[in-house]
Amino acid sequence: MSLTSAATDPSVLRDYAFEWALVDVETSGLVPRRDRVLSVAVVTLGPDGEQTGEFSTLLDPGCDPGPVHVHGLTAERLRGAPAFEQVAERIGALLEGRVLVAHNAQFDYDFLAHEFARAGLRLPVARRLCTLALNRRVDPPTDDLRLGTLAAHYGVPQMKAHDALDDTRVLAGVLRASLREAAQLDLSLPLVACPPRQDARFAPKPPKTPCAFRNPGRLTAGGPLVQGMKVAVTGETVTARADLLLRAAAAGLNMVSSVSRHTSALVTNDPEAGSAKARRARTEGVPVIDEAAFLRLLGDVRPGVPHEGAQPESAAVPSPGSAALPAVPTPRGPEAVVAAEAVMAAEAVMAAEAVMAAEAADTEVAAPALPDSAARTEPAPPAAGPKPGRRPGKPRGPLSGRRVLVLGGTHPDAVAARTRVVELGGAAAINLSAGVTDVVVLDGGDSDRRLPRISALLLPVHDAAWLVAPVVTATERADERRTAAHVLPRGGVVDLPLQRGRGPAHRWTVTASWAQQTACEIDVVAFVLDEDEQVSFDEDFVFYGAPENPGGTVRLLSDGPTEQTVSVDLATLPPSARKVVIAAAIDGSPAFGDVGALHIVSGPGSSAAALAQATLDAATTERTMLLAEIYRRERSWRLRAVGQGYDHGLGVLARGYGVEVAD
C-alpha cells in the first residue's frame, strides 16, 4: 500500500519520504536492563510506503518468559528458537540506514539496544519515530491512542494482538495513515536522534533502598541517633566508605549524598575541610561529628517513626554491624500495565466528572527553598476555583469542548488570550492539530506560516474581540472525546482516580510539549521528594543523563524533539516519597518568553485517555519552570498543574531539592 491516496497530493509527502524499519518486540517484562526479547519482527518500507522486506522470529531468552497469558509465548514454544545473538546481524542489516518506527518507540528501541549490547554488537539506528508521539501531534478523534484503537480509526485490519509480526503489519498501516494526516496539517515529524547504546551503562543497577522512617530533625549535642535522621559523609574515612554507609542504612538512618538545611548531621574527620558538603554544613548550622563518634552512636540508634504505609517489620532495629540487603521491587509484567490502563482509561473519565478538587490549601504553588541570590518570578494568583469541599463536574462555558490556537501577539497578549480561553471552558492549543476547532489571530499573527494551512482546513479564524463574548455555531465541530480531559488552570488540582478502590494506577504519565518551531533545547526533569521536599539520594533526580531512578519507579521518555514524558509508578513508590515534581529547563540563554507556553497532558499510561491537561505560560525571563507535581494526600494521590517560573538555571533548582550538582 502506498502513502498516497486519491485525496492526497503526492507533493506534500516529500518531507515524509524515508526508508523505514518498523519494529515490534514481545518481551518477558517491562525493564530492558533486566528482561529479554521473546520475539521480534521487522518490516521495511520504502519512501513511497511500499513494503520492501520482512523478517520475524521467536527467540529463546534463556529465562522465564513472563506473562504467557498476554503474549502466548510459553517456554515450550520458545525452546529450540535461536538466541538473539544468532539473528542480531540479520536484524541489524534491516535496521541499517533506516528510521526505526514503533508504537511507543523508546520501549522497543531500548530492548533492542540492550540485546545488541549483550551480543557485543552495535545497534545500527541513528533515528527513530514513535507513532504514538506522531499521533499525539495529529490528535485524531479517538478515545485513546493505543495501536488497536488507531488501527480501527484508520481502517487497518488487526488479526492477532501481541503477535510481533501482525502488530508490525498493523503498525505499517497506521504509519501510512498517520503520515498522510501529518502532511495535511503540515506537521513536522517527531524524529528522535539515537545515541550509541552498547556501553557498560547497560549493566543492571541494584535499586537503592529508601529510608523507611521520617526525619526526626537535627542531632543534638550528647543526644542519640534516631532512625530516619539524614546523615551525610565527607572526606576520608578509616572504615571503608561503602561499609560505613551500609551499616548506617541498616540501622535505619537515611544516608544522603548532599547537605541541606534538613540534614541531621555531617560525618567528617576534618571539620575544616573545604568540600562542598562541609561548607554547606557550616552555612546551615548542621551538626558535625567525627567518624569515631558516629560509630559509637551507631551502637544505640533509637527507634524512629515509620513513614505512613511502611511495613511494620521495618521498624525493627538491626543489630550493630548487620547489613540489610536492598529491597528489590516486585517485577510487574506487561499485563499489569495493560490491565491498569484499560481500567483507568474508563475510570479516569468517570472520576474526572466528580473528583476535581481545588481546596484552598491545595492551590498554593509549592517551590523549593532557594538561595537569596536566585531571582524568582512570583506566581500569579491562582484562578478562582470551587469552594473547599465542593466537587464540581466538568467545567462548562461557551468554549467547552473546543481547542483554540492563538497566533501572534506579544507574549503577555498571547498569555492573556490563552488564559481567557480556559476561563471560557476551552483548551488552549500551542500547535496546529486535527483537534483544533478555532484560531484566534492577534497583532502580527497574520504572517504566521500556518495560516494558509488553517484556511485550507476551513477552520474558523477570529480576532481578539471574539474572546470577549465568543459565538460558536452548531456546525463547527467540538467532539465530546476532548471534553473528557479536565482543563486545569495554573494551580489547579485533580484527584488521581483509584484502580477499583485498591490503589492508584500502576503507571501515571505527565507529557510536556511545546511549540514545534522552538529553536532552543528544553529538558524535562523529575525529582522524587520526601516530606522535607528533598531527594533521598541524588539518583532520585531523573533527567536526560540519568533517565531512570534506581528503583525504576520514575522514568523519562523522549518522545520527540518538542515532547517528553515522565512516567511514575505510583504503586511502587516507597512510603518515603511524598511528591514527584516535574520541571522543564532551557539549555542556554533563551527564556520561556522566547518559547511561549508549554502544554501538559496527564493520564494513566502513555496511550490511555487523558484525565487532565493544562497550558502553562511563564512570564518573560524564566529559564526554569515547575510544570506539575504528583503528591500524596493521605492515602490517595493528586496532580497539581504548577506553572511556576524561575530566572535561574536547572542547577540552582536541583540544589534547592538537595541534589549535589558539580560547579
Side-chain angles (χ1 to χ4, degrees), residues 302-345:
R302 304 299 168 82
V305 178
H307 289 289
E308 182 181 352
Q311 296 298 321
E313 60 268 25
S314 64
V317 181
S319 58
S322 64
L325 294 176
V328 179
T330 302
R332 297 177 180 266
E335 79 283 1
V337 173
V338 172
E341 288 193 4
V343 172
M344 293 299 294

Side-chain angles (χ1 to χ4, degrees), residues 308 391 494-498 503-504 570 578 630-639:
E308 182 181 352
R391 297 185 182 278
V494 65
D495 290 328
L496 303 189
L498 302 180
L570 298 177
R578 313 307 293 176
I630 298 175
Y631 65 98
R632 292 185 194 265
R633 179 75 169 188
E634 297 177 348
R635 294 187 178 275
S636 63
W637 289 89
R638 286 179 173 177
L639 170 77

